[in-house]
Amino acid sequence: MTSVRNFSSEAGFWSFIIGFIFIQIGFVVREVGAVRLGDTKRILLRHVFNLILSGVVYCLIGYAFAFSDGGTADKFIGMKLDFSDEILAYKYILLQCIFASMTASIVSGAVAERCKFIAHFVYTVFITGLIHPVVRHWTLYNRGWLYNGDKYSTLDYARIGFHDDVGSGAVHVMGGIAALMGAMMIGPRTGRFDPTLKKDFTERCYSTRIAFLGGLVMAIGLLTIISESPLLFVINYQGDLDADSTIYVFTSGSFAGFCLLLLINCDNRYFGTGRSALNAINGGLTGMIAVSTGYDNYSTHVAIAVGVISIIVYTAYSLLLTRLCIDDPLDVVAVHFGGGSLGLIAVAFFHETYGIFYAWNLQSAYILGWQCVGLMAIIVWTAVISGLMFGVLRLFGILRVCDEAQEKEFAKPAHKIKEITKENQKTVVFTVEASPENTCQKDMYLANASVGDLQL
């Protein structure tokens, strides 16, 4: 198997694993903070299930599709598994399982609170076993059609191909498009776009403190994974991965989040001012993802420029989905697809060696062309397969939980209990301090009891 890399740093391998752990914790905490409290246990169960199932599926079939000889279809998909070095192969499978499970976690955030468990099982199998591995074969396997590119006589037969070493396309763009298709097919949460429930819905469904904490944890993990990816996945890596390169990722994310917090007015029809902190952390994550594709060949001012552009991209996608009434509780489409697609295009402009703004030659034009071709190929492949998958699940009625279950959780405001009166007696106002997320049975009993039944 020619695709197994020689790991240049054992410390980098374990740093990558630790970064993945932080990312998964961040995914869970962000999702818990962005949905109703009653869905917390299901979220925890789904993410544990995702880790187990994605690992099994990827080891059984996904890795073969991504990194093996495909015969006549070798440029498109692998067909067999042949380890040349078992130790390296097992370590490499583990790292690739991490990317596969991340794509399923991205989709989970877009369909949170309203997806049936069986549907979660099906899309995890398809994404980690087919959709992601095929894209990985294109972009990282050394005979994949995007990675391999083509030779051009006008450049003395130099080979030009698709550049995506840290998974901006195979993970973030692919995951973002699959999440978009899932959110479109499953429909919005009950009451999400009802103007009369705007304030009440926000109070019930969002815990800014919890979601913001999850975003910070995820940012730490993302920074670690991005920093170590070139060492682990690039053949004969020759870049300069010093401390400054890692700082560029942090600079882009921090600058994007800070600018978004200052400049974006979140007080609109659907989002209250309390979500500005969430928008800031999402903007920071978008900036980190966008700069990751070529950060080892960027400078400080380029990292800042990509961060500024990323807040425009994130805000545009977030508002567009809202206007189209597509419910994405965690804004994963805007963060991952927006940041990933920007990163793939930005590297063709800002790369210090062959970027258009530096080289301005025919080679840089070819590189931009391949980046655009790769981006469109990933979008089309993911949209078609995931759209068919979610469409079939919806057709058979196994995609979305019933609306009655959602309405039961979102009944009437829980923080106010109606006046309790009894004929010929003084009105008694009984107030129960309850969380806006849940109304317990005891509270409802008190609300319907008469004065004579209450022991004050």
Side-chain angles (χ1 to χ4, degrees):
M1 184 181 61
T2 58
S3 295
V4 174
R5 272 54 168 171
N6 292 319
F7 298 112
S8 58
S9 172
E10 188 71 20
F13 172 80
W14 289 110
S15 296
F16 191 92
I17 299 298
I18 293 172
F20 164 69
I21 294 174
F22 273 100
I23 281 186
Q24 287 299 325
I25 294 174
F27 268 126
V28 173
V29 178
R30 280 182 71 214
E31 193 169 337
V32 168
V35 299
R36 298 164 193 158
L37 188 60
D39 200 48
T40 301
K41 291 183 180 179
R42 291 188 290 271
I43 290 172
L44 298 176
L45 178 61
R46 285 199 303 268
H47 279 277
V48 172
F49 176 78
N50 167 54
L51 290 176
I52 298 173
L53 181 62
S54 60
V56 172
V57 172
Y58 195 84
C59 288
L60 291 179
I61 58 175
Y63 189 74
F65 288 158
F67 297 104
S68 68
D69 184 4
T72 57
D74 194 33
K75 291 186 176 182
F76 180 78
I77 190 173
M79 298 301 294
K80 63 182 181 181
L81 197 58
D82 182 19
F83 293 148
S84 59
D85 188 322
E86 291 187 359
I87 297 178
L88 284 180
Y90 290 147
K91 292 172 66 176
Y92 198 68
I93 289 176
L94 175 60
L95 296 177
Q96 294 301 329
C97 282
I98 288 175
F99 281 123
S101 64
M102 285 173 59
T103 58
S105 296
I106 292 171
V107 179
S108 176
V111 297
E113 199 175 338
R114 58 210 191 275
C115 184
K116 288 186 176 181
F117 193 82
I118 183 63
H120 181 78
F121 174 89
V122 173
Y123 78 66
T124 299
V125 170
F126 269 86
I127 289 174
T128 60
L130 177 63
I131 302 176
H132 169 75
V134 169
V135 176
R136 208 65 175 154
H137 189 87
W138 297 351
T139 60
L140 200 61
Y141 182 64
N142 59 8
R143 291 197 295 271
W145 70 278
L146 285 177
Y147 183 91
N148 201 40
D150 199 1
K151 293 181 179 180
Y152 295 92
S153 58
T154 54
L155 299 175
D156 296 329
Y157 295 97
R159 185 174 297 278
I160 305 295
F162 183 73
H163 180 80
D164 179 25
D165 298 330
V166 297
S168 292
V171 177
H172 299 290
V173 171
M174 190 242 95
I177 290 297
L180 175 61
M181 300 306 298
M184 292 173 60
M185 290 293 180
I186 201 170
R189 290 167 290 173
T190 301
R192 172 65 179 89
F193 296 107
D194 186 347
T196 62
L197 297 177
K198 180 189 68 172
K199 182 177 183 297
D200 200 47
F201 190 90
T202 301
E203 290 178 353
R204 292 176 182 278
C205 295
Y206 298 108
S207 175
T208 303
R209 291 168 292 182
I210 295 177
F212 188 82
L213 176 62
L216 290 178
V217 173
M218 185 177 174
I220 296 173
L222 194 62
L223 179 64
T224 305
I225 281 188
I226 292 172
S227 301
E228 302 297 340
S229 290
L231 293 175
L232 300 176
F233 299 115
V234 182
I235 299 177
N236 299 324
Y237 181 74
Q238 302 295 328
D240 184 17
L241 263 186
D242 53 16
D244 292 339
S245 299
T246 305
I247 290 174
Y248 297 153
V249 182
F250 179 78
T251 299
S252 178
S254 300
F255 200 85
F258 179 73
C259 290
L260 195 61
L261 186 62
L262 291 180
L263 301 179
I264 301 301
N265 179 15
C266 301
D267 188 13
N268 54 57
R269 179 180 178 185
Y270 299 117
F271 297 98
T273 55
R275 297 201 70 216
S276 59
L278 298 183
N279 286 346
I281 195 65
N282 284 339
L285 293 172
T286 307
M288 295 176 69
I289 294 171
V291 81
S292 65
T293 307
Y295 76 98
D296 51 328
N297 287 282
Y298 286 167
S299 58
T300 304
H301 63 276
V302 169
I304 294 176
V306 173
V308 172
I309 299 173
S310 69
I311 67 174
I312 300 174
V313 172
Y314 165 75
T315 305
Y317 279 120
S318 180
L319 294 179
L320 177 62
L321 293 182
T322 303
R323 296 295 184 266
L324 296 176
C325 294
I326 299 175
D327 186 12
D328 181 4
L330 274 67
D331 267 347
V332 295
V333 176
V335 171
H336 294 277
F337 173 70
S341 58
L342 173 60
L344 293 179
I345 301 301
V347 71
F349 287 92
F350 294 108
H351 195 284
E352 290 186 335
T353 302
Y354 53 70
I356 290 178
F357 291 152
Y358 292 88
W360 191 255
N361 54 25
L362 187 60
Q363 180 185 8
S364 62
Y366 280 131
I367 292 173
L368 176 61
W370 272 103
Q371 295 300 104
C372 293
V373 168
L375 175 61
M376 292 305 301
I378 295 171
I379 291 174
V380 172
W381 164 255
T382 307
V384 171
I385 302 300
S386 61
L388 290 174
M389 174 189 65
F390 284 114
V392 171
L393 292 175
R394 179 176 177 176
L395 179 64
F396 286 94
I398 56 176
L399 177 61
R400 180 186 175 97
V401 298
C402 61
D403 291 337
E404 289 77 8
Q406 295 189 60
E407 292 171 357
K408 183 178 180 180
E409 291 187 19
F410 191 78
K412 293 184 178 180
H415 57 282
K416 292 181 180 179
I417 300 299
K418 65 181 181 180
E419 291 187 347
I420 305 171
T421 62
K422 188 174 182 179
E423 187 178 357
N424 299 324
Q425 291 191 15
K426 185 178 179 180
T427 300
V428 177
V429 179
F430 190 86
T431 304
V432 177
E433 294 291 354
S435 65
E437 290 85 0
N438 283 324
T439 302
C440 65
Q441 294 181 353
K442 182 179 179 182
D443 295 338
M444 295 306 298
Y445 168 77
L446 292 174
N448 296 319
S450 63
V451 174
D453 297 328
L454 298 175
Q455 295 179 358
L456 303 178

